Amino acid sequence: MDLSKELEFLHQVCNAVVPISKSVWNSLPNSFFTRRILGAGEFFLREGKEARELAILVSGVMKESYQTSKGDEYVKSYVFPGEFTGSYYDLLSQKPSTCSIRTLQEVTLYAAPFSQFIELSQRELIWKEFRLRLVESLFCKKAKREFELLTMDAKDRYLVLTKEKPELESFLTQKQLASYLRITPVSLSRIKNSLKKN
C-alpha cells in the first residue's frame, strides 16, 4: 500500500467511527499522525512506561497483553489493520502503563499524540463526537470479551474466535492462542482433537 492509499485508509477507518468530511480531514495538521514501521517482536508500548500515543494499525498484527509478577502473560486482545491501539485506560490514567503492546510481525501504523487528540476533541465538535464513538466501540469490544470469558466454555470461545478471526492460527503459537482463551495449551490441544473427531 503506497503512502496516499495509507492516508486514505486512515480516513476510511476514522470515517467508520463517525462521518468525517474530506475538508475536515484535510484540515488536520500534517504532523498530527506519524508513520511508523515496527519489526516483529518490537514494542509500541511497554508495561511500566507512560502511554502517550493513540495509533491506527495499517498492516500486520499486534497484541495487547498483561504480565503477572510471576512472568505469566495474559493476552488482552489482538489488533488488526483498521483497528485502534494504545491502551485507552493507560492513556487516560497518565500513570505507568499496565499493559504492553507488541508486534507479532512487521507492522505499519500511524500514531498521534493523545494529548493533541484530546485538545482537538475539546476544540472541534466533530472530533468530540468521534472521541465519544471511539470510547463506545472500545467499551463494546471489552464487554464482548468479558461476556465470552464469563459465560462460554473454552470450546465455545475457541469456535467463536476461529470463526471471527480464522487467520489467527496461522501465526499464533499454541501457547499464545491458549493464553488468549484463558486455558492451558494442553486443554487447547484436547479441544482441537475433539473437534477433529467430530
Side-chain angles (χ1 to χ4, degrees):
M1 191 184 299
D2 62 34
L3 190 59
S4 62
K5 288 183 179 178
E6 286 181 358
L7 294 173
E8 178 58 31
F9 180 72
L10 292 188
H11 181 210
Q12 291 173 2
V13 170
C14 292
N15 196 59
V17 176
V18 65
I20 299 172
S21 67
K22 278 284 189 180
S23 60
V24 169
W25 180 256
N26 291 334
S27 69
L28 284 173
N30 291 333
S31 60
F32 189 76
F33 285 108
T34 300
R35 184 178 188 268
R36 200 172 301 163
I37 296 176
L38 300 177
E42 285 192 53
F43 285 92
F44 173 70
L45 174 65
R46 193 186 290 266
E47 180 185 348
K49 301 294 184 180
E50 185 180 346
R52 295 180 178 177
E53 295 178 305
L54 184 67
I56 299 173
L57 192 61
V58 173
S59 65
V61 182
M62 306 176 79
K63 67 175 178 180
E64 300 178 348
S65 63
Y66 301 110
Q67 192 167 42
T68 68
S69 58
K70 295 180 179 179
D72 297 320
E73 182 186 53
Y74 291 94
V75 179
K76 172 186 172 185
S77 64
Y78 291 101
V79 186
F80 294 89
E83 295 183 342
F84 292 82
T85 190
S87 186
Y88 205 84
Y89 166 77
D90 291 314
L91 287 166
L92 289 173
S93 75
Q94 297 183 319
K95 295 178 181 179
S97 175
T98 58
C99 85
S100 291
I101 303 174
R102 195 174 189 179
T103 65
L104 292 178
Q105 52 190 224
E106 183 178 280
V107 307
T108 299
L109 58 80
Y110 281 75
F114 188 65
S115 59
Q116 289 186 27
F117 173 64
I118 294 298
E119 288 174 10
L120 186 65
S121 68
Q122 292 172 340
R123 191 172 65 244
E124 299 184 29
L125 187 60
I126 185 67
W127 292 109
K128 181 179 180 180
E129 184 180 355
F130 177 88
R131 182 184 172 191
L132 173 62
R133 299 303 178 200
L134 177 59
V135 171
E136 288 176 345
S137 68
L138 293 173
F139 171 79
C140 289
K141 182 178 180 181
K142 181 177 183 292
K144 179 178 181 296
R145 171 85 164 136
E146 290 175 348
F147 173 80
E148 291 173 356
L149 288 173
L150 293 171
T151 66
M152 294 182 180
D153 62 26
K155 180 179 179 181
D156 286 339
R157 294 201 301 274
Y158 172 75
L159 290 172
V160 167
L161 181 64
T162 52
K163 181 180 179 181
E164 293 180 348
K165 304 289 185 183
E167 66 274 29
L168 271 180
E169 287 193 280
S170 66
F171 55 81
L172 288 187
T173 64
Q174 185 93 338
K175 185 177 180 180
Q176 288 173 326
L177 191 59
S179 172
Y180 183 74
L181 294 168
R182 298 289 194 273
I183 57 176
T184 66
V186 172
S187 295
L188 180 57
S189 291
R190 288 173 181 158
I191 290 170
K192 288 183 176 181
N193 290 333
S194 172
L195 290 170
K196 285 178 183 178
K197 290 178 181 178
N198 294 333

